[in-house]
């Protein structure tokens, strides 16, 4: 059986060291395990490549155990040498640090002392050692790679350790994976997983309604509402881990300080950025564009991650106030000209995404109220990524999914995450570089007292909010739907109110239950059992024993997960 999933976002890379798009990293989670993982039930830390771990007393050395029995999809054993190779590649190759470099920036060295043991030493204590969201790659494949930058990782089938094996990719059409029958947690309950490209979410939702695909997410509110009561379709509304933001080019520079891109000079003035933020009615965006299926934006960590989420206090809060924004622009030295305008700005977003299309019209009106005409351009995923990476924008729609530990999303805004002089390396979100923010980032990374770390993380979000390299517009609800006549059950993360797709893991796909499998199982008590019972008591006892054995095996498998 095949699970078909609709996607509207392109793949930026199948190379896990370069992949940044949510669609790409999600497929990476299906192909590769990480050193540790997060449970589906409550997102607590659980076994990944490593089964055990222990820090030294000073928290500078961590020892991880890679158990025997786990294998790559080509049959080769997974060892501690694969883990050490992955991390050392990132430590020695700047390009390999593109997607996840912040996780290893504090590493001093990584050594595999034998096949089962890997030892990681850090420069300072690092609180995120059980949250290293880095795909572990097979050394016997990747040690033959000459240039990480040029390696597409598309020699099919791609060797991995996860529950699925990538077998085919036709850009703009589909991605095909097969269940890894030798996966150490046990194989998935269906044969293949296909991701099918659609130009926009309208087409994806129509395909779901027609039964052409089985699962859709990131729907617009109106699309989600249109599926209410649809026969054979089940909807899922969850508090998502994503936020939507408006980038404001703060005067982008490389790590070494050279200007990059062509952002409007006026935006280097924090007073101008604050005025733009003050002219945006976030409550109206939530109601009119998101139709209430979102929460008003503030800090970098969404509310779903409760303790880390920050809301501005009364003295910090920027209330929607166009009059105050106009006065601030006047005071900053940008008076209105004879035609009523101050200076024009460009806004770039993604074509085919309902939010960008609708919110851009709202922002055009909001910015005109403060004398800033907007030139809106909606482009493809790759074109948008190119523009924001090269800093050839004034304003841009963007968004990120946050991890369970806030370190990654916070690390995107450190000075070190900006590209090198050649424009390559690093993954910055908004070209933010601020000494105060960087000092706080270093402190939270080494803080093992959770209460104190929470306080520092919130200080960081307050600093970002004050300096406005971006405005967090909203925390979107995850709006998903699936064909319950094809697949009867999907595992959400977390169990209560969680998401199916875009998880901090692969459980939604891995544990999907085909409807026909569930129907067959339902027949056993009344149908097959009754027929067997007619054959006599001996047969009945034998079948009962088999059922008990199967149940015990299933229970054991469930415990391993």
């Amino acid at each position: 059986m095949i699970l078909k999933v609709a996607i509207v976002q392109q793949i930026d890379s199948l190379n896990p060291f370069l992949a940044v798009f949510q669609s790409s990293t999600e497929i990476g989670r299906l192909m590769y395990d990480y050193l540790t993982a997060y449970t589906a039930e409550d997102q607590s830390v659980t076994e990944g490549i490593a089964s055990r771990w222990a820090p030294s007393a000073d928290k500078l050395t961590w020892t991880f155990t890679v158990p025997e029995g786990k294998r790559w999809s080509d049959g080769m054993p997974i060892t501690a040498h694969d883990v050490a190779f992955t991390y050392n590649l990132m430590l020695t190759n700047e390009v390999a640090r593109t997607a996840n470099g912040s996780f290893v920036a504090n590493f001093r060295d990584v050594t595999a002392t034998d096949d089962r043991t890997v030892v990681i030493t850090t420069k300072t204590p690092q609180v995120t050692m059980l949250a290293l969201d880095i795909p572990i790659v097979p050394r016997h494949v990747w040690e033959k790679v000459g240039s990480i930058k040029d390696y597409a990782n598309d020699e099919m089938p791609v060797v991995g350790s996860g529950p699925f094996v990538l077998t085919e990719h036709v850009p703009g059409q589909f991605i095909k994976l097969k269940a890894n029958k030798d996966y150490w947690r046990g194989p998935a309950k269906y044969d293949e997983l296909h991701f099918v490209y659609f130009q926009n979410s309208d087409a994806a939702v129509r395909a779901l309604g027609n039964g052409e695909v089985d699962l859709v997410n990131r729907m617009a509110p109106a699309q989600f509402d249109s599926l209410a009561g649809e026969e054979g379709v089940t909807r899922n509304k969850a508090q998502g881990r994503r936020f939507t933001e408006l980038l404001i080019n703060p005067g982008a520079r490389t790590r070494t300080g050279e200007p990059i891109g062509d952002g409007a000079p006026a935006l280097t003035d924090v007073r101008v950025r604050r005025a733009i933020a003050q002219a945006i009615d976030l409550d109206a965006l939530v109601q009119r564009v998101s139709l209430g299926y979102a929460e008003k934006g503030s800090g970098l960590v969404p509310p779903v991650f409760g303790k880390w989420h920050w809301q501005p206090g009364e003295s910090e809060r920027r209330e929607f106030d166009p009059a105050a924004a106009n006065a601030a622009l006047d005071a900053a030295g940008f008076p209105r000209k004879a035609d009523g305008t101050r200076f024009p700005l460009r806004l770039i977003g993604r074509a085919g995404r309902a939010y960008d299309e609708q919110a851009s019209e709202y922002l055009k009106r909001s910015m005109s109220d403060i004398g800033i005409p907007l030139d809106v351009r909606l482009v493809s995923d790759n074109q948008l990524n190119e523009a924001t990476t090269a800093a050839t924008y004034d304003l841009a729609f963007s968004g990120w999914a946050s991890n369970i530990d806030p370190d990654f999303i916070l690390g995107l805004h450190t000075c070190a995450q900006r590209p090198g002089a050649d424009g390559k390396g690093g993954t910055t979100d908004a070209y933010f570089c601020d000494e105060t923010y960087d000092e706080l980032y270093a402190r939270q990374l080494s803080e093992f007292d959770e209460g104190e770390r929470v306080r520092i993380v919130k200080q960081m979000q307050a600093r970002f909010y004050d300096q406005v390299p971006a405005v967090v517009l909203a925390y979107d609800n995850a709006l998903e739907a699936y064909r319950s006549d094809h697949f009867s059950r999907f595992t959400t993360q977390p169990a209560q109110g969680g998401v199916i797709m875009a998880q901090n893991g692969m459980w939604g796909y891995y544990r999907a239950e085909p409807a026909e499998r569930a129907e067959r199982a339902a027949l056993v008590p009344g149908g097959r059992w009754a027929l067997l019972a007619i054959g006599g008591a001996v047969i009945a006892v034998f079948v009962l024993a088999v059922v008990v054995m199967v149940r015990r095996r299933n229970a054991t498998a469930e415990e391993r997960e």
Side-chain angles (χ1 to χ4, degrees):
M1 184 164 184
I2 300 173
L3 170 59
K4 295 182 179 180
V5 181
I7 56 172
V8 296
Q9 187 182 46
Q10 299 169 358
I11 299 295
D12 59 336
S13 179
L14 293 173
N15 182 328
F17 297 105
L18 305 179
V20 175
F21 284 8
Q22 185 269 321
S23 54
S24 308
T25 57
E26 186 150 8
I27 288 169
R29 288 182 182 274
L30 301 173
M31 297 164 58
Y32 301 102
D33 279 324
Y34 298 174
L35 191 60
T36 57
Y38 305 107
T39 66
E41 289 69 29
D42 61 4
Q43 306 188 97
S44 56
V45 177
T46 190
E47 179 177 2
I49 292 289
S51 60
R52 299 196 307 275
W53 43 84
S56 60
D58 61 5
K59 299 291 196 302
L60 290 175
T61 302
W62 287 73
T63 303
F64 293 86
T65 300
V66 179
E68 292 187 33
K70 295 178 182 178
R71 295 188 174 275
W72 297 103
S73 56
D74 62 357
M76 293 288 287
I78 298 172
T79 72
H81 297 287
D82 296 302
V83 178
F85 172 83
T86 300
Y87 294 156
N88 281 316
L89 180 62
M90 296 176 69
L91 289 173
T92 58
N93 186 310
E94 182 179 13
V95 175
R97 295 194 295 272
T98 298
N100 297 301
S102 63
F103 289 120
V104 301
N106 188 45
F107 284 14
R108 186 177 299 281
D109 57 65
V110 184
T111 305
T113 58
D114 54 43
D115 284 354
R116 308 271 68 90
T117 309
V118 60
V119 179
I120 303 174
T121 304
T122 58
K123 301 169 188 174
T124 59
Q126 181 168 330
V127 73
T128 60
M129 293 302 292
L130 300 182
L132 302 175
D133 290 346
I134 298 171
I136 303 301
V137 300
R139 180 179 67 167
H140 66 281
V141 173
W142 284 81
E143 65 185 356
K144 301 171 187 175
V145 173
S147 170
I148 297 296
K149 177 173 65 71
D150 300 319
Y151 187 59
N153 196 31
D154 59 358
E155 297 176 11
M156 307 295 175
V158 177
V159 178
S161 60
F164 296 91
V165 179
L166 180 64
T167 58
E168 190 175 2
H169 176 214
V170 178
Q173 294 186 40
F174 58 80
I175 302 163
K176 293 184 178 181
L177 303 99
K178 287 188 176 180
N180 182 355
K181 299 302 182 184
D182 298 318
Y183 184 49
W184 60 274
R185 283 189 171 98
K189 296 174 181 177
Y190 57 97
D191 303 310
E192 296 188 27
L193 171 59
H194 295 179
F195 291 87
V196 185
Y197 286 104
F198 290 89
Q199 288 295 317
N200 52 57
S201 55
D202 280 334
V205 172
R206 284 196 298 272
L208 181 79
N210 295 334
E212 298 168 26
V213 296
D214 305 305
L215 179 61
V216 174
N217 82 335
R218 297 180 70 174
M219 289 185 287
Q223 295 163 345
F224 185 75
D225 287 344
S226 73
L227 294 175
E230 183 82 13
E231 186 176 356
V233 173
T234 296
R235 301 184 304 163
N236 182 51
K237 180 177 82 73
Q239 193 177 36
R241 64 186 187 95
R242 294 188 61 82
F243 62 79
T244 297
E245 65 182 339
L246 179 71
L247 301 179
I248 305 177
N249 193 325
R253 293 179 178 271
T254 66
R255 281 197 300 276
T256 47
E258 293 89 355
I260 185 173
D262 61 1
L267 298 179
T268 62
D269 190 329
V270 69
R271 296 174 296 176
V272 172
R273 301 198 300 271
R274 287 171 182 156
I276 289 172
Q278 194 166 28
I280 301 173
D281 188 343
L282 300 183
D283 290 310
L285 276 175
V286 167
Q287 294 305 317
R288 298 173 190 172
V289 178
S290 300
L291 302 184
Y293 287 115
E295 296 177 62
K296 178 179 174 179
S298 55
L300 292 166
V301 182
V304 69
F305 301 117
K307 63 188 175 187
W308 305 110
H309 176 61
W310 172 82
Q311 288 279 4
E314 189 172 341
S315 62
E316 302 165 301
R317 189 178 301 118
R318 261 192 314 267
E319 301 290 355
F320 170 60
D321 191 338
N326 272 302
L329 290 170
D330 290 338
F334 296 96
R336 289 181 185 264
K337 295 177 287 190
D339 64 358
T341 66
R342 302 177 191 276
F343 50 82
L345 293 177
R346 301 160 298 165
L347 169 61
I348 188 169
R350 184 191 180 284
R353 183 172 184 248
Y355 186 93
D356 293 20
E357 293 170 352
Q358 296 171 29
S360 62
E361 291 302 313
Y362 175 81
L363 289 176
K364 283 176 70 172
R365 294 192 296 271
S366 298
M367 292 302 103
S368 68
D369 290 341
I370 57 173
I372 300 177
L374 287 189
D375 175 22
V376 176
R377 186 163 63 100
L378 300 179
V379 298
S380 71
D381 284 320
N382 287 333
Q383 289 173 311
L384 178 59
N385 186 52
E386 289 168 5
T388 52
T389 299
T392 52
Y393 68 92
D394 298 326
L395 309 176
F397 287 115
S398 183
W400 288 85
S402 300
N403 295 346
I404 294 166
D405 188 282
D407 178 75
F408 177 77
I409 200 68
L410 299 173
L412 289 174
H413 302 289
T414 58
C415 297
Q417 283 298 110
R418 297 175 301 168
D422 60 356
K424 305 297 183 182
T427 300
T428 184
D429 174 38
Y431 277 95
F432 186 49
C433 178
D434 179 75
E435 183 178 345
T436 299
Y437 184 94
D438 273 18
E439 289 174 354
L440 291 168
Y441 178 77
R443 285 174 53 196
Q444 68 83 31
L445 188 62
S446 297
E447 183 54 71
F448 280 79
D449 180 286
E450 187 176 88
E452 178 60 15
R453 186 175 179 228
V454 166
R455 189 183 69 81
I456 298 170
V457 165
K458 290 185 176 181
Q459 279 185 277
M460 294 176 68
Q461 295 178 78
R463 181 65 178 174
F464 185 89
Y465 180 86
D466 176 70
Q467 295 299 297
V468 213
V471 179
V472 177
L473 300 173
Y475 309 109
D476 307 309
N477 290 153
L479 303 180
E480 309 172 303
Y482 62 91
R483 295 293 316 194
S484 43
D485 51 355
H486 297 174
F487 284 81
S488 59
R489 179 180 175 272
F490 286 90
T491 294
T492 58
Q493 185 189 45
Q496 298 300 317
V499 295
I500 298 170
M501 297 173 65
Q503 296 182 351
N504 281 298
M506 45 62 205
W507 308 107
Y509 303 108
Y510 172 57
R511 288 181 175 173
E513 291 270 5
E516 60 183 35
R517 181 188 181 96
E519 289 167 5
R520 285 199 301 268
L523 287 174
V524 172
R528 296 179 184 177
W529 177 265
L531 290 172
L532 288 168
I534 294 173
V538 174
I539 295 177
V541 170
F542 173 77
V543 172
L544 178 59
V546 171
V547 170
V548 170
M549 289 173 64
V550 169
R551 284 178 178 167
R552 284 177 179 168
R553 288 173 184 165
N554 286 345
T556 304
E558 188 72 20
E559 287 161 9
R560 285 200 302 270
E561 296 171 0

